[in-house]
Amino acid sequence: MATAHPTGYLEAEHTPISDELDATDLRVHGELPRELRGLYVRNSPNPQFAPIGKYHWFDGDGMVHGIRFEDGRASYMNRWVRTRGFEAEREAGRALWTGILEPLRPEAMSLPGGPVKDTANTDLVFHRGRLLSLWWLSGTPYEVSTRDLSTIGPERFDGKLTGGFAAHPKVDPRTNQLVFFDHSMVRRPYLRYGVVSPEGELVRYEAIPTESPHILHDMAITENYSILLDFPMGWDPERLKAGKRKIAFDRGGRSRFGVLPRLGGAADVRWFEAEPCYMYHTINAYEVGREIVLVGCRVRDPIPEQQDTSGGVARLDTIELVPHLYEWRFDLDTGETRERALDDLATEFPRINDTVQGTRARFTYNPRIARDSALKFDGLVKYDLAGGAFAPDRVVWDAPPGMFVGEAAFAPRAGGRGDREDDGWLVTFGSSARDDLSVCFVLDARDMREVARVDLPRRIPLGFHSMFCPGA
Ligand SMILES: [Fe+2]
């Protein structure tokens, strides 16, 4: 069904698939540790039907791939997320919505959920033993079964979720609160902040006033605070009036970081300013005395005036994705921000051991961006941030030639004492278009050595975010 397209996101390792499989007793090369127990799931954009017009990587219908590890064996399954939009298109037998590179169509206003299809294609969060599939443009969380990846249905928190729920919420591992945000790029409120209690009750959901509708993608938490992001990038307002969507970056603007107490509200937000930039993904945040430290993968200039034409820089339409490890420090007493680059290697889709989220994580595991115009990763980098220096210690694992990997979730050693932050494994899928196959890699997170490689029943496309659900 895939058609060749110049964006590069329907080709090669990004080529979508059209079926849903279950496969048990997969062939394992090496040895799967018995203390690796649980389900690794990864979300991905995978259009059900040929797109109408131009396709953006972020447009595809959500498809979740899962690999379950138990007693040294592995099984695989994949399912589309049955969103309202997915079901409406299935019934019609064709695509009904255009993607974000096409003009908004007036007739699309009557489609279920509005003119932009909520695909639930971006992220997964595991909270209270339940797995939710989430969308980058803020939609309805869809619960997905950890047993067979079937869609259980939309989660609206007893009707209290009256707006959207964005990708990249954070689970506080100490309190088990689920902290999230909602954003809109077209209507007020442009930003909302929310907290779900450990019992699953929506206890905060309130508008945070911001001046302009910017593209927001992630947030961060510390033990006591939440950090909302606001970068000077959004739809070009003039073009939007004409029904067209084009991303504009305000190079003269400021980056802003809204810090508020965990159960605070709009009146409690303190905005810290920093140099203009864009950031898709934070890595972690933590408190040091009266200072809050945030680490992430920062893009200094997402839409440079001189665009790269070499074909070796990862692009999302007009955005050049050259992210580097970066640190901001927000002084709660003075309101000042200090910021600095931590490395000059291009990495993205970073992950840490989720059990240290919000405290001073020592290690981060970042896929390394390959030289290609479509975003692909050709290795994994383990950073040791303990020293606090520029270019922190890093251990690199190179993917086999021709193989591209994705986000690697940290799977803690089942029954382990948890006294070593890196005592566990990194799990990620790898795909090769050249050999038309996919595998699952399991690396020892301590030394980044491959301990096992599991053959998947067929090639799967590269994707977005992943989660390891221990014991599931
Ligand atoms: Fe993301």
Side-chain angles (χ1 to χ4, degrees), residues 181 191-194 204 206-210 219 225-230 256-273 292 332 335:
F181 70 102
L191 178 62
R192 284 189 182 102
Y193 172 69
R204 280 289 179 286
E206 69 173 275
I208 306 292
T210 56
M219 62 173 302
Y225 297 94
S226 299
I227 306 170
L228 302 167
L229 312 180
D230 185 20
R256 303 195 316 148
F257 300 82
V259 176
L260 74 163
R262 174 64 39 78
L263 290 176
D268 304 306
V269 181
R270 287 183 65 186
W271 289 100
F272 292 78
E273 292 202 341
I292 288 178
L332 292 169

Side-chain angles (χ1 to χ4, degrees), residues 127-206:
H127 183 234
R128 305 174 61 242
R130 301 169 73 216
L131 186 64
L132 300 177
S133 187
L134 306 166
W135 186 40
W136 69 285
L137 269 175
S138 268
T140 302
Y142 280 84
E143 186 180 359
V144 169
S145 163
T146 55
R147 187 175 53 81
D148 60 6
L149 300 184
S150 60
T151 302
I152 294 169
E155 171 60 90
R156 294 198 178 86
F157 300 98
D158 294 326
K160 290 182 184 166
L161 187 73
T162 51
F165 189 116
H168 300 301
K170 302 288 178 267
V171 176
D172 185 324
R174 291 158 298 277
T175 65
N176 210 25
Q177 291 162 313
L178 175 65
V179 187
F180 70 99
F181 70 102
D182 165 47
H183 71 104
S184 170
M185 285 168 64
V186 288
R187 73 177 72 83
R188 291 177 190 274
Y190 300 133
L191 178 62
R192 284 189 182 102
Y193 172 69
V195 180
V196 177
S197 76
E199 293 77 32
E201 190 189 348
L202 188 68
V203 291
R204 280 289 179 286
Y205 192 58
E206 69 173 275

Side-chain angles (χ1 to χ4, degrees), residues 122 168 217 281 465:
T122 313
H168 300 301
H217 191 80
H281 300 117
H465 297 289

